[in-house]
Amino acid sequence: MRFIFSIQLMILVLSSCKNELQTISEDFQAICLVSNGAEIELENGVYMSPPTIHYVLFLYHDTIFQVSIGQKKSVYSYLKTRNHGKDSLESLMKEYNGTSLKKQVQLMKKMHSNLSSDCGPLGYFLFRKNYNLNFGIFPYREYTDWNRKYVYKEIPLTINQLPKIYSTIYHTLNSKQWDYFMSNDYYYKDVRTYRKNQFLFERRADSKR
């Protein structure tokens, strides 16, 4: 019953996101960072830790906005930086304009470099350019490299001061990463679920080595 409810909830969320996506009429570029959320049981002892977005950085109308999402409170701001900081971010994200999860390049890169074992959270990018939507994996280390290189000042905002397009960006990112996470077409399907007894057995085996 819980599994059926979870599937129904996801269908509702995804359908609402797709309807909202149709209303996008402006260009933007966005990055989100994802970590595993609280563990849930699907059925018959099968578990998963669903991905949860905890950070969104997006470039909109030549301004960089940032949202840090917490369990109890989210923090909204825009990043005041010199032009070269914004241009550098735009240039970094432009490298991914011709890439998507539907292309074998991203999948092979993930499998060979083992991005899922990175010390940082998993990242995704999302672009809307000329009415074309593009989505794929964004390495966390590239975000941290940019973050260390350019100095900026965080100017606090309220949720009402944030561009309205943020809601669309967030829900589209969430929808797309769930499409990827639950799809049988992608590499991540091999690690998205696990059984408790299998997990404990593997841990005991590792401890004996």
Side-chain angles (χ1 to χ4, degrees):
M1 179 63 71
R2 187 173 181 178
F3 176 70
I4 295 174
F5 174 76
S6 299
I7 294 298
Q8 290 175 334
L9 181 61
M10 280 193 296
I11 292 173
L12 179 62
V13 171
L14 295 179
S15 62
S16 63
C17 289
K18 289 177 181 178
N19 289 335
E20 188 171 9
L21 179 60
Q22 295 175 358
T23 67
I24 299 177
S25 59
E26 297 178 88
D27 292 344
F28 64 82
Q29 302 176 69
I31 301 169
C32 77
L33 302 179
V34 176
S35 294
N36 287 338
E39 179 183 79
I40 61 173
E41 182 177 4
L42 298 179
E43 61 178 356
N44 300 325
V46 177
Y47 295 82
M48 69 181 292
S49 298
T52 302
I53 297 175
H54 63 84
Y55 179 81
V56 178
L57 182 74
F58 66 101
L59 184 59
Y60 177 65
H61 285 191
D62 293 329
T63 302
I64 303 173
F65 294 93
Q66 172 182 276
V67 180
S68 297
I69 304 168
Q71 290 184 345
K72 296 183 178 180
K73 183 180 180 181
S74 295
V75 178
Y76 313 97
S77 58
Y78 81 86
L79 305 187
K80 186 177 182 180
T81 182
R82 296 179 179 178
N83 286 335
H84 58 265
K86 178 188 72 65
D87 293 342
S88 174
L89 179 62
E90 199 165 21
S91 176
L92 172 62
M93 298 175 76
K94 188 176 181 180
E95 295 178 17
Y96 293 86
N97 248 333
T99 309
S100 76
L101 286 171
K102 287 293 185 183
K103 295 188 177 181
Q104 188 70 10
V105 175
Q106 280 254 300
L107 300 181
M108 295 303 294
K109 182 179 179 181
K110 180 177 177 62
M111 293 173 71
H112 289 163
S113 63
N114 196 17
L115 288 177
S116 60
S117 63
D118 195 349
C119 60
L122 187 63
Y124 294 111
F125 68 77
L126 179 70
F127 299 139
R128 179 68 186 234
K129 290 287 185 181
N130 301 320
Y131 297 95
N132 293 318
L133 190 68
N134 196 20
F135 172 79
I137 299 170
F138 186 87
Y140 175 69
R141 61 182 175 273
E142 296 198 10
Y143 161 76
T144 56
D145 287 345
W146 176 85
N147 197 52
R148 284 194 298 261
K149 188 175 180 180
Y150 294 97
V151 177
Y152 55 79
K153 182 178 180 181
E154 296 183 25
I155 309 298
L157 299 174
T158 66
I159 181 62
N160 293 328
Q161 292 174 312
L162 207 64
K164 292 182 179 179
I165 201 169
Y166 165 69
S167 176
T168 299
I169 291 173
Y170 175 85
H171 289 298
T172 306
L173 280 166
N174 195 47
S175 171
K176 289 296 180 182
Q177 61 114 2
W178 266 102
D179 285 347
Y180 168 51
F181 194 75
M182 299 302 292
S183 173
N184 289 325
D185 296 332
Y186 298 127
Y187 170 70
Y188 210 70
K189 68 179 182 180
D190 297 328
V191 294
R192 70 184 181 216
T193 62
Y194 55 90
R195 293 183 180 274
K196 278 291 183 70
N197 55 353
Q198 176 185 355
F199 179 69
L200 292 175
F201 175 78
E202 290 174 352
R203 291 195 63 181
R204 291 194 190 102
D206 289 340
S207 64
K208 292 178 180 179
R209 293 175 182 174

